[in-house]
Amino acid sequence: MEILDGKKLSEDIKNEIAQEVAQIKAAGGNIPHLAAVLIGNNPASESYVRSKVRSCDQVGFESTLIRKDDSITEEELLEIIHELNTSDDVDGFIVQLPLPKHIDEVKVTLAIDPKKDVDGFHPVNFGRMAQGLPCYLPATPFGILQMIERYGIETSGAHVVVVGRSNIVGTPMSILLSRKAKTGNATVTLTHSRTKDLAAEVSRADIVIAAIGIPNFISADMIKEGAVIIDVGINRVEDETRKRGYRLVGDVDFDGVAGKASYVTPVPGGVGPMTVTSLLMNTLKSSRKEIYG
Ligand code: NAD
């Protein structure tokens, strides 16, 4: 079994991006600038945003963090989004989810200018993705594609089973892998909470992509010998042996599948770091006006 080392791969990609930024700087060009909006103090969101800002520093991007209290109104947040949409200085931005209950996430997503939507969540980018047109790919699926491609895993003709149908991971992943494209051409089954015999579906997969949010849900007895296992889940489970009182686990029983799979992503250190790298790649594309001119 080989580990799909997202941490190492994301460092390699960040080094490549840093070299490009150095060239842009030397030529007096526009330094890519990513902004992040963080509402409230959800610890997981804080940690994701910290890692995004740190990654910007690492590659030489400019970054801006806009932090607001939970009490912000929807109107105030939409005003911030409007300012970011119209700022000449900011190439792309993200609004870290989840948002407080009184704010409509769909309204917020729709308010982001697709040209600056480097998370790839706006329906315009989603629709363009589905039709194979230039777009910002959603960050997590984009990171998974990068990982599959750089590890030389064949997807053409492979049977992929995606578990979970969220708008940000499962559904776009299923579309991307079935497209007629490099790192595509797979036969994809998209499964979810209403799937009748999930274990039977997963057992047929050459590649399993688990994005459910239930710790250790995918077990060794569900997978085929030699399958590639991509674990998107990030779940906190109590652990008194850790100083912070919890540890992170994925949706896959890593130790169990390790003896049977050909490749597995660890949690942490698998898909998570690749998501951040995708955000940087999308911001670089935006600063170069590669997608929308
Ligand atoms: P979500 O919570 O929006 O949706 C979960 C999906 O799982 C749903 O489509 C549901 O149908 C399916 N599901 C739930 N119970 C199921 C069951 N018993 N059997 C089959 N399917 C079931 O999901 P999300 O936002 O895609 O997040 C999934 C996980 O991935 C979470 O742990 C999240 O933290 C993590 N995540 C990680 C990254 C990353 O960068 N690594 C990015 C996004 C999400």
Side-chain angles (χ1 to χ4, degrees):
M1 189 273 298
E2 195 177 335
I3 297 272
L4 291 169
D5 188 343
K7 192 159 180 239
K8 153 96 178 48
L9 192 51
S10 71
E11 289 304 317
D12 293 347
I13 295 174
K14 281 191 271 189
N15 285 335
E16 292 166 17
I17 296 174
Q19 281 175 15
E20 291 195 39
V21 175
Q23 282 169 12
I24 294 170
K25 268 188 190 159
N30 173 31
I31 306 296
H33 183 175
L34 174 71
V37 182
L38 175 60
I39 309 295
N41 42 20
N42 174 323
S45 295
E46 285 196 358
S47 131
Y48 297 147
V49 169
R50 251 199 320 273
S51 139
K52 289 165 188 174
V53 170
R54 215 174 27 237
S55 297
C56 282
D57 293 345
Q58 214 182 327
V59 299
F61 281 10
E62 284 176 25
S63 66
T64 299
L65 173 58
I66 300 168
R67 282 203 76 147
K68 294 288 170 189
D69 206 74
D70 258 339
S71 61
I72 187 170
T73 64
E74 189 176 273
E75 217 176 3
E76 285 165 338
L77 178 55
L78 291 174
E79 183 50 39
I80 293 173
I81 291 172
H82 175 70
E83 279 166 23
L84 291 168
N85 280 341
T86 49
S87 157
D88 288 336
D89 187 37
V90 171
D91 294 298
F93 66 97
I94 60 148
V95 178
Q96 186 65 47
L97 303 180
L99 293 171
K101 289 207 167 49
H102 64 277
I103 298 180
D104 181 347
E105 280 187 5
V106 174
K107 211 166 173 183
V108 167
T109 304
L110 289 173
I112 298 172
D113 184 341
K115 295 187 177 105
K116 295 198 176 184
D117 169 41
V118 286
D119 247 339
F121 290 171
H122 193 286
V124 165
N125 280 313
F126 195 100
R128 293 175 74 114
M129 171 199 72
Q131 295 197 348
L133 298 170
C135 64
Y136 297 115
L137 293 181
T140 301
F142 186 17
I144 294 170
L145 285 187
Q146 286 286 316
M147 190 178 241
I148 290 175
E149 189 183 321
R150 292 197 182 218
Y151 271 89
I153 294 166
E154 184 59 81
T155 56
S156 181
H159 185 190
V160 176
V161 172
V162 178
V163 191
R165 57 180 162 188
S166 71
N167 285 341
I168 61 167
V169 188
T171 298
M173 201 68 248
S174 69
I175 294 170
L176 286 165
L177 284 170
S178 55
R179 283 192 320 184
K180 188 173 180 181
K182 194 177 168 206
T183 321
N185 293 317
T187 303
V188 181
T189 304
L190 179 58
T191 65
H192 44 76
S193 53
R194 302 287 179 92
T195 297
K196 279 219 172 88
D197 189 351
L198 189 77
E201 299 295 343
V202 172
S203 70
R204 283 192 280 273
D206 302 308
I207 302 174
V208 179
I209 301 184
I212 321 156
I214 306 177
N216 303 320
F217 184 83
I218 304 289
S219 53
D221 57 331
M222 292 167 84
I223 70 159
K224 181 161 92 177
E225 189 85 39
V228 174
I229 312 293
I230 313 263
D231 189 355
V232 185
I234 303 178
N235 308 293
R236 288 182 177 208
V237 295
E238 270 184 43
D239 185 345
E240 284 168 10
T241 66
R242 303 288 174 97
K243 214 162 81 187
R244 54 190 182 180
Y246 69 88
R247 73 195 145 84
L248 295 179
V249 299
D251 290 344
V252 175
D253 170 17
F254 181 89
D255 294 334
V257 303
K260 206 169 171 188
S262 56
Y263 291 94
V264 190
T265 58
V267 177
V271 174
M274 296 302 295
T275 297
V276 181
T277 315
S278 303
L279 207 55
L280 300 176
M281 290 173 75
N282 279 343
T283 307
L284 186 60
K285 283 184 184 176
S286 176
S287 79
R288 289 185 173 149
K289 312 226 176 304
E290 261 178 45
I291 309 287
Y292 289 98

